[in-house]
Amino acid sequence: MTTRTETDAEQKKSLTEKAQDAAKTAGEKVSSASSATVQAAKDHPYAAAGIAAGVAAAVAGAAIGATKLREGDGEDEKTYKSAQ
């Protein structure tokens, strides 16, 4: 006959094993995706450079937009009101 403590211990062990298995699987998938990305960049260097430049431009645009929103200079509001 198993006690409640033994059952709880088995469940915790089971959850720990499941978490370890999930982490291992995720690590394998990330490693595989990373290898595929490196190989694709080696096979198509100009496309990889273009994609990297596009991502950099998008991040820079988002940073500039966020900065303007934080400053709250109201420049957009002035432009909108003068256009009316």
Side-chain angles (χ1 to χ4, degrees):
M1 185 160 130
T2 61
T3 64
R4 181 176 173 86
T5 306
E6 291 173 353
T7 304
D8 290 344
E10 289 174 7
Q11 288 177 347
K12 287 180 183 178
K13 183 179 178 183
S14 177
L15 290 174
T16 301
E17 289 174 350
K18 288 178 183 179
Q20 288 173 343
D21 290 342
K24 182 179 177 181
T25 301
E28 291 170 354
K29 288 182 179 182
V30 167
S31 177
S32 175
S34 176
S35 297
T37 301
V38 169
Q39 188 59 44
K42 287 180 181 179
D43 292 344
H44 308 285
Y46 293 114
I51 291 168
V55 169
V59 169
I64 291 170
T67 301
K68 287 191 174 204
L69 285 174
R70 286 188 91 187
E71 289 175 355
D73 59 6
E75 191 66 33
D76 291 336
E77 293 174 13
K78 292 176 190 172
T79 304
Y80 175 73
K81 288 179 182 176
S82 67
Q84 288 181 338

